[in-house]
Amino acid sequence: MRTGEAASVPRKALVTGAGGFVGRRLVAAFREAGWEVVAAGRAADGGPALDVTDAAAVRRLVDEARPDAVVNLAAIAHRKRERITADDYDAVNHRGVRHLLDAARAAGVARFVQFSSASVYGEEGRTAPVREDDPRRPVGPYALSKARAEDACLAVEGMEVAVLRFPALYAPGWVLDVRKRAYLPGTRVLLEITGADAPRHSLCALEHAVRFARLAADGTAAPGVYNVADAAPYAQGEVADVVGALDGVRRRVRVPGGAAALPLLAARLVPGGVGRQVRSHAWKLLRGQVLDTARAAAAGFTPTGRLRDLLAS
C-alpha cells in the first residue's frame, strides 16, 4: 500500500536485480501470489533495464512504476574471474541502494525490502548463534558495502524498511556457496570435521528467502533487521553428505574438530587485509556460523525445507 492510500488489489512491487538467479524466482513467486511486478535488471529481459548507479534513471523508473513496495536484490557479489574494486562494490551495493531509497521515499512507496548478507557479521570469533543486534564486523569490500547499505536503510524515515540477512542460499542446481563448506579448498575432496566441536552452518533454501521477502513486502513482518535461514543449522558432516551425493564424490577426509585449530592459527600469520579475509574464510569452513532466527519466527515465519531435500529434486 502506498503511503496515504487505501490498499489496492493487486499489490505492486518493483523488484530490482530481477535478472539474477534469486531475482527471477522471487519475481515468479510474487506473481503467483497475486502481485503485479515490475522486474528491473541490468539488461532488459521482459522488464526495464536499470543501472542503480544512475540516480536519475532510478528516479524515473520508480516514478513510472509507482509501486507499493520495492524489493532490492541488485548487487555485485563475489566474482573470482573479474577484477572488482572496492569502489565498484560500493557504487552498486551501497550508493545504488541510496539512490533507490531516495527515489522510493520521494515517490511515497510504503515499504522497502533490502536483501543483505550475513557476511556483515564477520565469521572470525563467532562461537554462539548471532543475533541481529550483535556487533557487525564486516571483512572485505563486499561485506563492507552491504553493511553501509544497511546503515542507509535503517536511517530512512517516512518509509517502512526491512533488511534481510541471509547466509549461503541454495536451490536445486545452485549449491556453489554450499560447496565452499563441504570441500577442502581447491580440491574435490570432501571435508568432514568430527567431534563435539565440529562446525555448524546456517544455510537458507531459496524458497525460504522468497517467502520471507513476501512477508516483509506486504507488511506481515514489521520493519527492522531479520536473520533468515532454515529452521536449524547443519552439521559439517551433513553438508558433506549432501554435496557429495549431489556431485557423485566419495573421497573424504575426516578431521577431528580440535585439529581445525591449527590452520586457524596459521591464518593469523597472514598480515593486513588479505589476512583478515583468509581468516574469515578459514573460520567459515572450519568453525561455521549459526544465525539466531528467533526474530523471523516471531514474525510468523516457519521454514520447512532442508538441504537434504535437494537429493529428492
Side-chain angles (χ1 to χ4, degrees):
M1 181 174 61
R2 292 175 59 82
T3 302
E5 295 182 2
S8 59
V9 179
R11 292 160 294 185
K12 188 174 185 180
L14 169 62
V15 177
T16 54
F21 185 87
V22 178
R24 292 193 301 272
R25 283 147 183 82
L26 185 141
V27 167
F30 268 56
R31 286 174 173 160
E32 289 172 5
W35 285 72
E36 179 184 355
V37 179
V38 177
R42 284 180 295 176
D45 183 17
L50 178 66
D51 177 359
V52 296
T53 67
D54 185 338
V58 170
R59 286 196 301 271
R60 285 194 300 271
L61 179 59
V62 175
D63 287 342
E64 292 169 3
R66 293 183 57 82
D68 302 301
V70 173
V71 183
N72 179 47
L73 296 87
I76 295 178
H78 313 283
R79 300 178 188 169
K80 290 184 177 180
R81 297 181 182 179
E82 299 180 33
R83 179 171 177 78
I84 302 175
T85 67
D87 189 67
D88 292 334
Y89 281 113
D90 194 77
V92 175
N93 298 356
H94 166 222
R95 301 197 299 272
V97 173
R98 286 187 177 274
H99 296 158
L100 286 164
L101 289 167
D102 290 344
R105 184 174 52 182
V109 173
R111 297 185 185 89
F112 190 100
V113 181
Q114 168 70 7
F115 269 53
S116 192
S117 168
S119 66
V120 299
Y121 292 123
E123 288 85 4
E124 186 181 6
R126 303 285 189 186
T127 56
V130 187
R131 296 169 51 90
E132 290 89 347
D133 52 2
D134 284 342
R136 298 173 307 171
R137 300 197 295 262
V139 174
Y142 170 77
L144 284 167
S145 67
K146 298 298 277 188
R148 290 171 183 147
E150 289 190 0
D151 292 341
C153 287
L154 299 175
V156 167
E157 296 180 355
M159 180 171 62
E160 295 185 355
V161 179
V163 173
L164 315 185
R165 292 175 181 159
F166 299 101
L169 296 172
Y170 66 88
W174 200 57
V175 292
L176 176 62
D177 284 342
V178 178
R179 286 191 177 101
K180 295 175 183 176
R181 292 154 175 82
Y183 287 116
L184 287 169
T187 76
R188 293 284 280 181
V189 178
L190 296 166
L191 173 66
E192 181 179 347
I193 302 175
T194 61
D197 51 357
R200 296 185 301 154
H201 302 282
S202 282
L203 303 172
C204 185
L206 179 54
E207 64 185 89
H208 295 156
V210 169
R211 279 175 47 205
F212 198 88
R214 280 176 47 200
L215 293 179
D218 68 18
T220 302
V225 182
Y226 294 90
N227 291 333
V228 184
D230 293 353
Y234 297 89
Q236 176 75 31
E238 183 177 2
V239 176
D241 288 345
V242 172
V243 170
L246 289 172
D247 293 347
V249 173
R250 294 186 178 181
R251 293 181 61 194
R252 179 184 305 234
V253 172
R254 291 182 173 86
V255 177
L262 296 177
L264 289 173
L265 287 173
R268 291 182 176 275
L269 301 178
V270 183
V274 172
R276 287 193 295 272
Q277 294 194 56
V278 168
R279 291 192 294 276
S280 178
H281 288 306
W283 193 279
K284 181 186 300 181
L285 176 65
L286 301 173
R287 285 289 182 258
Q289 185 184 72
V290 175
L291 302 183
D292 184 318
T293 57
R295 185 174 292 178
F301 180 59
T302 306
T304 55
R306 297 293 289 169
L307 183 65
R308 194 167 290 276
D309 296 343
L310 294 177
L311 300 179
S313 65

